[in-house]
Amino acid sequence: DAGVTQSPTHLIKTRGQQVTLRCSPKSGHDTVSWYQQALGQGPQFIFQYYEEEERQRGNFPDRFSGHQFPNYSSELNVNALLLGDSALYLCASSRDMMGTDTQYFGPGTRLTVL
Amino acid sequence: ILNVEQSPQSLHVQEGDSTNFTCSFPSSNFYALHWYRWETAKSPEALFVMTLNGDEKKKGRISATLNTKEGYSYLYIKGSQPEDSATYLCAPGGSARQLTFGSGTQLTVLP
């Protein structure tokens, strides 16, 4: 079992650009959540996808959007990048939406916006 | 949005010492509490998911307790080892089905 995988590992963009991050969930998992972790803080919830729909969203602007594919993999898109978007982006997968099942995290994508 | 507090922010202990840290969260609308260990350059690793008031979980030298009525959880590490050095994160999940992470307790175990 490969676990949760994310790509790319690192990414450097400039302000105003757009970025797409990718996540493949753990085998057997159908729910994918995305988190942003800024330096010195805990991960902050961006949104969660289930059955190819966004089911829950945190306090993030519409510049942050996502998609889930039929094979449960997911993408996080960020438009009009700001310097403050520089962070580690984590993907987590789980088997249910109820919050009691363990969420398994990937290694993250480090995004730097210059 | 839940207000989750973890204390202390960082901690240095000697190898062999036992230690504990706290996670505080609003007791209303509680659903579950997750504990994670996050070592540098690795993925956060799930330790426990706790749901019931009075719950106690144990994994090797690490254990956790939960008090949902007063809104706190303790994580204990018995006989700390250098490999326990990591950031320990708690995340209560309310009925909104999303996890709200605290800022974590950074533990350093000195050999």
Side-chain angles (χ1 to χ4, degrees):
Chain A
D1 184 1
V4 180
T5 60
Q6 292 186 244
S7 63
T9 306
H10 295 87
L11 205 50
I12 298 175
K13 292 285 187 178
T14 56
R15 280 179 297 175
Q17 285 190 311
Q18 179 264 343
V19 69
T20 297
L21 311 181
R22 294 177 176 83
C23 171
S24 291
K26 187 175 167 67
S27 177
H29 288 183
D30 56 10
T31 303
V32 173
S33 302
W34 286 92
Y35 294 83
Q36 180 196 66
Q37 197 244 348
L39 205 59
Q41 298 181 19
Q44 291 200 36
F45 177 78
I46 302 175
F47 42 52
Q48 185 176 84
Y49 276 84
Y50 174 70
E51 291 188 344
E52 302 179 50
E53 289 188 3
E54 182 186 294
R55 288 301 186 92
Q56 202 76 46
R57 189 177 183 93
N59 191 25
F60 279 80
D62 292 344
R63 298 186 297 109
F64 289 77
S65 63
H67 189 77
Q68 186 178 35
F69 298 94
N71 66 353
Y72 307 119
S73 67
S74 177
E75 289 182 349
L76 164 66
N77 301 293
V78 187
N79 294 322
L81 284 167
L82 303 174
L83 295 179
D85 295 332
S86 295
L88 180 69
Y89 288 85
L90 293 163
C91 166
S93 73
S94 57
R95 287 182 300 175
D96 75 14
M97 288 271 302
M98 298 300 291
T100 56
D101 203 2
T102 298
Q103 290 196 17
Y104 291 83
F105 282 83
T109 293
R110 173 74 61 187
L111 172 65
T112 302
V113 182
L114 302 176
Chain B
I1 299 177
L2 297 177
N3 183 25
V4 183
E5 294 185 3
Q6 291 191 247
S7 61
Q9 197 170 25
S10 66
L11 192 56
H12 290 72
V13 301
Q14 289 294 136
E15 183 175 354
D17 287 350
S18 294
T19 187
N20 65 84
F21 13 98
T22 306
C23 171
S24 300
F25 51 88
S27 56
S28 60
N29 211 26
F30 175 84
Y31 198 87
L33 182 89
H34 299 243
W35 277 102
Y36 284 85
R37 172 170 60 197
W38 196 358
E39 295 179 65
T40 303
K42 294 187 177 180
S43 306
E45 174 197 355
L47 290 173
F48 307 114
V49 180
M50 308 174 79
T51 57
L52 300 175
N53 184 44
D55 232 357
E56 290 189 29
K57 299 268 187 176
K58 188 174 181 182
K59 184 177 183 178
R61 293 179 291 98
I62 304 176
S63 60
T65 61
L66 177 66
N67 184 321
T68 60
K69 293 183 179 179
E70 297 182 34
Y72 64 84
S73 177
Y74 294 139
L75 189 80
Y76 301 90
I77 302 179
K78 185 178 178 182
S80 302
Q81 299 296 310
E83 58 264 31
D84 296 328
S85 296
T87 296
Y88 291 82
L89 294 163
C90 73
S95 60
R97 301 175 182 175
Q98 65 187 61
L99 299 184
T100 302
F101 282 87
S103 298
T105 292
Q106 187 174 3
L107 174 67
T108 303
V109 182
L110 304 169

